[in-house]
Amino acid sequence: MEGHTQLKDYLRRFDLLSEVEIDQFVGAFAEVRIRKRQYIVQPGFTAHNRHYVAEGAFRSFVVDDQGGDHTISFAIEDWWITDYNSYIFQQPATMFVVALEDSVILQINHEAEKQLKSGHHRFETIFRIMAERGLAFQQKRMVSNLTQSAEGRYDHFIEKYPQVAQRLPQYALASYLGMTTEFLSKIRNNKVRRKS
């Protein structure tokens, strides 16, 4: 039940809910252990759950017509992940979500979330704030991809998320940053050379 304690701490940071409300909110989530390389969302199947990462790391990605894979997002402890388009509209997913490490998640299903929101306006506010933050993050990422060089995107990621970068396979980070693994290696090697 350690995951539930972490989610309670996460909710306390919003400073919106009483302890009773936090218990009620967290009570709607089930703790699930996930093994490394296990998929929690797959294309063609509806994503019925939203996932809070209590322990571990995940990657969401899509595969293009040529078989190339493109990382959409990562999630480590205290972050959320699912195929949001599938989850919100309850339609078949278009992306994969896979565990990069043995992990523990707390998941809430779509129906339980709807009941939480309809039962208390503050619960709805929590989900709205999470959605707003997610949207703002995606917009920042889009602007960065359009305006920064590959090296600039890498530098920004390493500066902002050093703890995440250390845990990611190189191919996944390269894919997220919109470059090949070879190009990412080249950037890293150039940085090492400049330092020495």
Side-chain angles (χ1 to χ4, degrees):
M1 290 309 220
E2 198 175 302
H4 285 87
T5 303
Q6 285 172 249
L7 182 54
K8 286 179 182 182
D9 289 342
Y10 172 88
L11 291 167
R12 286 184 188 111
R13 293 200 296 268
F14 288 91
D15 202 22
L16 279 174
L17 306 177
S18 70
E19 286 302 310
V20 170
E21 290 163 343
I22 286 173
D23 286 341
Q24 187 184 344
F25 189 101
V26 171
F29 288 76
E31 187 170 297
V32 181
R33 296 192 170 277
I34 305 291
R35 285 199 293 270
K36 183 177 179 176
R37 296 189 193 90
Q38 184 177 338
Y39 289 88
I40 58 172
V41 177
Q42 293 187 65
F45 298 91
T46 301
H48 293 295
N49 299 300
R50 180 196 293 263
H51 312 278
Y52 170 81
V53 182
E55 180 184 315
F58 289 83
R59 172 174 87 109
S60 70
F61 65 98
V62 294
V63 177
D64 64 31
D65 293 340
Q66 287 73 46
D69 105 17
H70 307 275
T71 300
I72 305 300
S73 66
F74 298 111
I76 60 164
E77 291 83 8
D78 223 20
W79 295 8
W80 298 82
I81 197 162
T82 193
D83 178 328
Y84 287 101
N85 193 59
S86 174
Y87 179 72
I88 290 164
F89 296 108
Q90 287 297 283
Q91 60 191 28
T94 56
M95 65 177 66
F96 295 91
V97 179
V98 65
L100 298 171
E101 304 169 355
D102 288 343
S103 302
V104 177
I105 56 174
L106 294 182
Q107 60 184 30
I108 185 169
N109 70 48
H110 190 260
E111 200 49 47
E113 182 176 322
K114 269 171 57 177
Q115 286 172 9
L116 267 185
K117 288 173 176 171
S118 65
H120 200 306
H121 74 91
R122 284 191 192 151
F123 295 159
E124 195 166 35
T125 301
I126 296 285
F127 285 112
R128 177 182 53 75
I129 292 169
M130 285 164 42
E132 288 171 350
R133 288 177 179 176
L135 184 61
F137 176 84
Q138 289 301 332
Q139 181 177 305
K140 266 201 294 199
R141 182 179 173 212
M142 196 184 303
V143 169
S144 166
N145 285 350
L146 292 170
T147 59
Q148 289 186 313
S149 67
E151 189 169 345
R153 293 194 303 274
Y154 172 76
D155 288 342
H156 177 75
F157 190 89
I158 296 300
E159 183 185 309
K160 188 96 172 136
Y161 307 106
Q163 76 287 10
V164 182
Q166 292 167 8
R167 295 167 66 180
L168 300 178
Q170 188 159 300
Y171 72 86
L173 179 55
S175 163
Y176 180 80
L177 295 172
M179 61 184 79
T180 64
T181 307
E182 294 75 22
F183 195 74
L184 178 56
S185 278
K186 193 174 163 186
I187 289 173
R188 284 178 159 169
N189 291 338
N190 286 344
K191 288 187 176 299
V192 170
R193 263 191 241 110
R194 274 184 232 141
K195 282 181 184 171
S196 51

PDB file of all heavy atoms in Angstrom, residues 1-3 30-36 38 40 54-55 58 99 101-107:
ATOM      1  N   MET A   1       0.815  -1.213   0.000  1.00  0.00           N
ATOM      2  CA  MET A   1       0.000   0.000   0.000  1.00  0.00           C
ATOM      3  C   MET A   1       0.850   1.265   0.000  1.00  0.00           C
ATOM      4  O   MET A   1       0.352   2.353   0.204  1.00  0.00           O
ATOM      5  CB  MET A   1      -0.953   0.017   1.206  1.00  0.00           C
ATOM      6  CG  MET A   1      -2.063  -1.014   1.087  1.00  0.00           C
ATOM      7  SD  MET A   1      -2.904  -0.911  -0.497  1.00  0.00           S
ATOM      8  CE  MET A   1      -4.575  -1.143  -0.051  1.00  0.00           C
ATOM      9  N   GLU A   2       2.147   1.094  -0.198  1.00  0.00           N
ATOM     10  CA  GLU A   2       3.045   2.250  -0.219  1.00  0.00           C
ATOM     11  C   GLU A   2       2.684   3.216  -1.347  1.00  0.00           C
ATOM     12  O   GLU A   2       2.794   4.428  -1.212  1.00  0.00           O
ATOM     13  CB  GLU A   2       4.493   1.776  -0.381  1.00  0.00           C
ATOM     14  CG  GLU A   2       5.500   2.825   0.018  1.00  0.00           C
ATOM     15  CD  GLU A   2       6.918   2.297  -0.045  1.00  0.00           C
ATOM     16  OE1 GLU A   2       7.205   1.303   0.645  1.00  0.00           O
ATOM     17  OE2 GLU A   2       7.706   2.871  -0.799  1.00  0.00           O
ATOM     18  N   GLY A   3       2.239   2.647  -2.476  1.00  0.00           N
ATOM     19  CA  GLY A   3       1.844   3.477  -3.616  1.00  0.00           C
ATOM     20  C   GLY A   3       0.718   4.430  -3.258  1.00  0.00           C
ATOM     21  O   GLY A   3       0.693   5.586  -3.688  1.00  0.00           O
ATOM     22  N   ALA A  30      -6.441   1.161  -7.694  1.00  0.00           N
ATOM     23  CA  ALA A  30      -5.930  -0.180  -7.383  1.00  0.00           C
ATOM     24  C   ALA A  30      -4.430  -0.218  -7.654  1.00  0.00           C
ATOM     25  O   ALA A  30      -3.966   0.320  -8.664  1.00  0.00           O
ATOM     26  CB  ALA A  30      -6.629  -1.227  -8.247  1.00  0.00           C
ATOM     27  N   GLU A  31      -3.678  -0.845  -6.750  1.00  0.00           N
ATOM     28  CA  GLU A  31      -2.229  -0.972  -6.940  1.00  0.00           C
ATOM     29  C   GLU A  31      -1.935  -2.227  -7.764  1.00  0.00           C
ATOM     30  O   GLU A  31      -2.463  -3.294  -7.482  1.00  0.00           O
ATOM     31  CB  GLU A  31      -1.535  -1.046  -5.574  1.00  0.00           C
ATOM     32  CG  GLU A  31      -0.019  -1.017  -5.691  1.00  0.00           C
ATOM     33  CD  GLU A  31       0.664  -0.852  -4.330  1.00  0.00           C
ATOM     34  OE1 GLU A  31       0.453   0.194  -3.691  1.00  0.00           O
ATOM     35  OE2 GLU A  31       1.385  -1.779  -3.934  1.00  0.00           O
ATOM     36  N   VAL A  32      -1.077  -2.057  -8.771  1.00  0.00           N
ATOM     37  CA  VAL A  32      -0.744  -3.172  -9.674  1.00  0.00           C
ATOM     38  C   VAL A  32       0.764  -3.205  -9.888  1.00  0.00           C
ATOM     39  O   VAL A  32       1.385  -2.163 -10.123  1.00  0.00           O
ATOM     40  CB  VAL A  32      -1.455  -3.011 -11.047  1.00  0.00           C
ATOM     41  CG1 VAL A  32      -1.138  -4.183 -11.969  1.00  0.00           C
ATOM     42  CG2 VAL A  32      -2.958  -2.851 -10.874  1.00  0.00           C
ATOM     43  N   ARG A  33       1.341  -4.405  -9.817  1.00  0.00           N
ATOM     44  CA  ARG A  33       2.773  -4.588 -10.108  1.00  0.00           C
ATOM     45  C   ARG A  33       2.920  -4.942 -11.582  1.00  0.00           C
ATOM     46  O   ARG A  33       2.200  -5.801 -12.086  1.00  0.00           O
ATOM     47  CB  ARG A  33       3.378  -5.687  -9.236  1.00  0.00           C
ATOM     48  CG  ARG A  33       3.350  -5.324  -7.781  1.00  0.00           C
ATOM     49  CD  ARG A  33       4.180  -6.220  -6.888  1.00  0.00           C
ATOM     50  NE  ARG A  33       4.270  -5.636  -5.562  1.00  0.00           N
ATOM     51  CZ  ARG A  33       5.136  -4.705  -5.204  1.00  0.00           C
ATOM     52  NH1 ARG A  33       6.015  -4.257  -6.069  1.00  0.00           N
ATOM     53  NH2 ARG A  33       5.145  -4.203  -3.988  1.00  0.00           N
ATOM     54  N   ILE A  34       3.871  -4.289 -12.231  1.00  0.00           N
ATOM     55  CA  ILE A  34       4.102  -4.484 -13.666  1.00  0.00           C
ATOM     56  C   ILE A  34       5.554  -4.894 -13.877  1.00  0.00           C
ATOM     57  O   ILE A  34       6.458  -4.273 -13.302  1.00  0.00           O
ATOM     58  CB  ILE A  34       3.814  -3.171 -14.451  1.00  0.00           C
ATOM     59  CG1 ILE A  34       2.385  -2.661 -14.152  1.00  0.00           C
ATOM     60  CG2 ILE A  34       4.038  -3.365 -15.942  1.00  0.00           C
ATOM     61  CD1 ILE A  34       1.274  -3.507 -14.691  1.00  0.00           C
ATOM     62  N   ARG A  35       5.777  -5.895 -14.711  1.00  0.00           N
ATOM     63  CA  ARG A  35       7.146  -6.328 -14.992  1.00  0.00           C
ATOM     64  C   ARG A  35       7.752  -5.534 -16.137  1.00  0.00           C
ATOM     65  O   ARG A  35       7.039  -5.060 -17.027  1.00  0.00           O
ATOM     66  CB  ARG A  35       7.172  -7.828 -15.351  1.00  0.00           C
ATOM     67  CG  ARG A  35       7.000  -8.717 -14.120  1.00  0.00           C
ATOM     68  CD  ARG A  35       7.480 -10.120 -14.398  1.00  0.00           C
ATOM     69  NE  ARG A  35       6.643 -10.796 -15.373  1.00  0.00           N
ATOM     70  CZ  ARG A  35       5.584 -11.520 -15.067  1.00  0.00           C
ATOM     71  NH1 ARG A  35       5.219 -11.652 -13.813  1.00  0.00           N
ATOM     72  NH2 ARG A  35       4.888 -12.101 -16.000  1.00  0.00           N
ATOM     73  N   LYS A  36       9.062  -5.412 -16.127  1.00  0.00           N
ATOM     74  CA  LYS A  36       9.788  -4.760 -17.210  1.00  0.00           C
ATOM     75  C   LYS A  36       9.377  -5.388 -18.546  1.00  0.00           C
ATOM     76  O   LYS A  36       9.247  -6.605 -18.643  1.00  0.00           O
ATOM     77  CB  LYS A  36      11.301  -4.933 -16.985  1.00  0.00           C
ATOM     78  CG  LYS A  36      12.165  -4.231 -18.007  1.00  0.00           C
ATOM     79  CD  LYS A  36      13.629  -4.392 -17.670  1.00  0.00           C
ATOM     80  CE  LYS A  36      14.501  -3.694 -18.723  1.00  0.00           C
ATOM     81  NZ  LYS A  36      15.922  -3.770 -18.360  1.00  0.00           N
ATOM     82  N   GLN A  38       6.515  -5.193 -19.916  1.00  0.00           N
ATOM     83  CA  GLN A  38       5.076  -5.507 -19.967  1.00  0.00           C
ATOM     84  C   GLN A  38       4.328  -4.288 -20.490  1.00  0.00           C
ATOM     85  O   GLN A  38       4.608  -3.152 -20.089  1.00  0.00           O
ATOM     86  CB  GLN A  38       4.579  -5.881 -18.569  1.00  0.00           C
ATOM     87  CG  GLN A  38       3.124  -6.325 -18.524  1.00  0.00           C
ATOM     88  CD  GLN A  38       2.707  -6.744 -17.115  1.00  0.00           C
ATOM     89  OE1 GLN A  38       3.535  -7.096 -16.275  1.00  0.00           O
ATOM     90  NE2 GLN A  38       1.411  -6.697 -16.854  1.00  0.00           N
ATOM     91  N   ILE A  40       0.994  -1.959 -20.834  1.00  0.00           N
ATOM     92  CA  ILE A  40      -0.242  -1.656 -20.113  1.00  0.00           C
ATOM     93  C   ILE A  40      -1.273  -1.001 -21.036  1.00  0.00           C
ATOM     94  O   ILE A  40      -2.436  -0.875 -20.664  1.00  0.00           O
ATOM     95  CB  ILE A  40       0.013  -0.796 -18.846  1.00  0.00           C
ATOM     96  CG1 ILE A  40       0.720   0.521 -19.184  1.00  0.00           C
ATOM     97  CG2 ILE A  40       0.803  -1.589 -17.813  1.00  0.00           C
ATOM     98  CD1 ILE A  40       0.828   1.484 -18.003  1.00  0.00           C
ATOM     99  N   ALA A  54       3.934   4.784  -9.135  1.00  0.00           N
ATOM    100  CA  ALA A  54       4.433   4.829  -7.763  1.00  0.00           C
ATOM    101  C   ALA A  54       5.905   4.438  -7.723  1.00  0.00           C
ATOM    102  O   ALA A  54       6.672   4.928  -6.902  1.00  0.00           O
ATOM    103  CB  ALA A  54       3.616   3.894  -6.873  1.00  0.00           C
ATOM    104  N   GLU A  55       6.289   3.549  -8.639  1.00  0.00           N
ATOM    105  CA  GLU A  55       7.679   3.074  -8.682  1.00  0.00           C
ATOM    106  C   GLU A  55       7.940   2.562 -10.099  1.00  0.00           C
ATOM    107  O   GLU A  55       7.098   1.884 -10.685  1.00  0.00           O
ATOM    108  CB  GLU A  55       7.818   1.926  -7.681  1.00  0.00           C
ATOM    109  CG  GLU A  55       9.183   1.305  -7.568  1.00  0.00           C
ATOM    110  CD  GLU A  55       9.145   0.115  -6.613  1.00  0.00           C
ATOM    111  OE1 GLU A  55       8.533   0.230  -5.530  1.00  0.00           O
ATOM    112  OE2 GLU A  55       9.724  -0.928  -6.971  1.00  0.00           O
ATOM    113  N   PHE A  58       8.041   4.197 -17.409  1.00  0.00           N
ATOM    114  CA  PHE A  58       7.251   3.776 -18.565  1.00  0.00           C
ATOM    115  C   PHE A  58       7.558   4.664 -19.769  1.00  0.00           C
ATOM    116  O   PHE A  58       8.020   5.788 -19.617  1.00  0.00           O
ATOM    117  CB  PHE A  58       5.751   3.874 -18.256  1.00  0.00           C
ATOM    118  CG  PHE A  58       5.275   2.842 -17.278  1.00  0.00           C
ATOM    119  CD1 PHE A  58       5.419   3.043 -15.916  1.00  0.00           C
ATOM    120  CD2 PHE A  58       4.705   1.663 -17.722  1.00  0.00           C
ATOM    121  CE1 PHE A  58       5.013   2.088 -15.005  1.00  0.00           C
ATOM    122  CE2 PHE A  58       4.288   0.698 -16.819  1.00  0.00           C
ATOM    123  CZ  PHE A  58       4.439   0.906 -15.461  1.00  0.00           C
ATOM    124  N   ALA A  99       6.444  -0.839 -19.801  1.00  0.00           N
ATOM    125  CA  ALA A  99       7.300  -0.630 -18.625  1.00  0.00           C
ATOM    126  C   ALA A  99       8.762  -0.766 -19.028  1.00  0.00           C
ATOM    127  O   ALA A  99       9.151  -1.738 -19.670  1.00  0.00           O
ATOM    128  CB  ALA A  99       6.960  -1.642 -17.541  1.00  0.00           C
ATOM    129  N   GLU A 101      11.071  -0.606 -16.621  1.00  0.00           N
ATOM    130  CA  GLU A 101      11.633  -1.227 -15.420  1.00  0.00           C
ATOM    131  C   GLU A 101      10.506  -1.996 -14.726  1.00  0.00           C
ATOM    132  O   GLU A 101       9.332  -1.747 -15.010  1.00  0.00           O
ATOM    133  CB  GLU A 101      12.132  -0.157 -14.427  1.00  0.00           C
ATOM    134  CG  GLU A 101      13.144   0.811 -14.966  1.00  0.00           C
ATOM    135  CD  GLU A 101      13.405   2.000 -14.031  1.00  0.00           C
ATOM    136  OE1 GLU A 101      12.726   2.123 -12.979  1.00  0.00           O
ATOM    137  OE2 GLU A 101      14.286   2.794 -14.361  1.00  0.00           O
ATOM    138  N   ASP A 102      10.841  -2.892 -13.810  1.00  0.00           N
ATOM    139  CA  ASP A 102       9.810  -3.449 -12.939  1.00  0.00           C
ATOM    140  C   ASP A 102       9.184  -2.261 -12.207  1.00  0.00           C
ATOM    141  O   ASP A 102       9.905  -1.385 -11.707  1.00  0.00           O
ATOM    142  CB  ASP A 102      10.423  -4.424 -11.925  1.00  0.00           C
ATOM    143  CG  ASP A 102      10.861  -5.733 -12.571  1.00  0.00           C
ATOM    144  OD1 ASP A 102      10.414  -6.030 -13.702  1.00  0.00           O
ATOM    145  OD2 ASP A 102      11.651  -6.462 -11.950  1.00  0.00           O
ATOM    146  N   SER A 103       7.860  -2.230 -12.161  1.00  0.00           N
ATOM    147  CA  SER A 103       7.170  -1.016 -11.708  1.00  0.00           C
ATOM    148  C   SER A 103       5.961  -1.335 -10.840  1.00  0.00           C
ATOM    149  O   SER A 103       5.454  -2.462 -10.851  1.00  0.00           O
ATOM    150  CB  SER A 103       6.705  -0.201 -12.925  1.00  0.00           C
ATOM    151  OG  SER A 103       7.785   0.150 -13.764  1.00  0.00           O
ATOM    152  N   VAL A 104       5.517  -0.309 -10.130  1.00  0.00           N
ATOM    153  CA  VAL A 104       4.264  -0.379  -9.379  1.00  0.00           C
ATOM    154  C   VAL A 104       3.443   0.837  -9.798  1.00  0.00           C
ATOM    155  O   VAL A 104       3.935   1.967  -9.766  1.00  0.00           O
ATOM    156  CB  VAL A 104       4.499  -0.339  -7.846  1.00  0.00           C
ATOM    157  CG1 VAL A 104       3.168  -0.339  -7.102  1.00  0.00           C
ATOM    158  CG2 VAL A 104       5.367  -1.512  -7.404  1.00  0.00           C
ATOM    159  N   ILE A 105       2.205   0.576 -10.208  1.00  0.00           N
ATOM    160  CA  ILE A 105       1.320   1.677 -10.608  1.00  0.00           C
ATOM    161  C   ILE A 105       0.049   1.641  -9.771  1.00  0.00           C
ATOM    162  O   ILE A 105      -0.326   0.606  -9.223  1.00  0.00           O
ATOM    163  CB  ILE A 105       0.947   1.609 -12.113  1.00  0.00           C
ATOM    164  CG1 ILE A 105       0.311   0.254 -12.454  1.00  0.00           C
ATOM    165  CG2 ILE A 105       2.142   1.905 -12.981  1.00  0.00           C
ATOM    166  CD1 ILE A 105      -0.227   0.160 -13.874  1.00  0.00           C
ATOM    167  N   LEU A 106      -0.582   2.804  -9.681  1.00  0.00           N
ATOM    168  CA  LEU A 106      -1.937   2.882  -9.145  1.00  0.00           C
ATOM    169  C   LEU A 106      -2.820   3.238 -10.329  1.00  0.00           C
ATOM    170  O   LEU A 106      -2.522   4.190 -11.051  1.00  0.00           O
ATOM    171  CB  LEU A 106      -2.044   3.961  -8.076  1.00  0.00           C
ATOM    172  CG  LEU A 106      -1.255   3.734  -6.790  1.00  0.00           C
ATOM    173  CD1 LEU A 106      -1.498   4.866  -5.818  1.00  0.00           C
ATOM    174  CD2 LEU A 106      -1.627   2.415  -6.146  1.00  0.00           C
ATOM    175  N   GLN A 107      -3.871   2.465 -10.535  1.00  0.00           N
ATOM    176  CA  GLN A 107      -4.712   2.753 -11.691  1.00  0.00           C
ATOM    177  C   GLN A 107      -6.161   2.980 -11.282  1.00  0.00           C
ATOM    178  O   GLN A 107      -6.657   2.392 -10.330  1.00  0.00           O
ATOM    179  CB  GLN A 107      -4.596   1.656 -12.744  1.00  0.00           C
ATOM    180  CG  GLN A 107      -4.993   0.279 -12.308  1.00  0.00           C
ATOM    181  CD  GLN A 107      -4.747  -0.760 -13.388  1.00  0.00           C
ATOM    182  OE1 GLN A 107      -3.845  -0.636 -14.217  1.00  0.00           O
ATOM    183  NE2 GLN A 107      -5.547  -1.798 -13.384  1.00  0.00           N
TER     184      GLN A 107
END
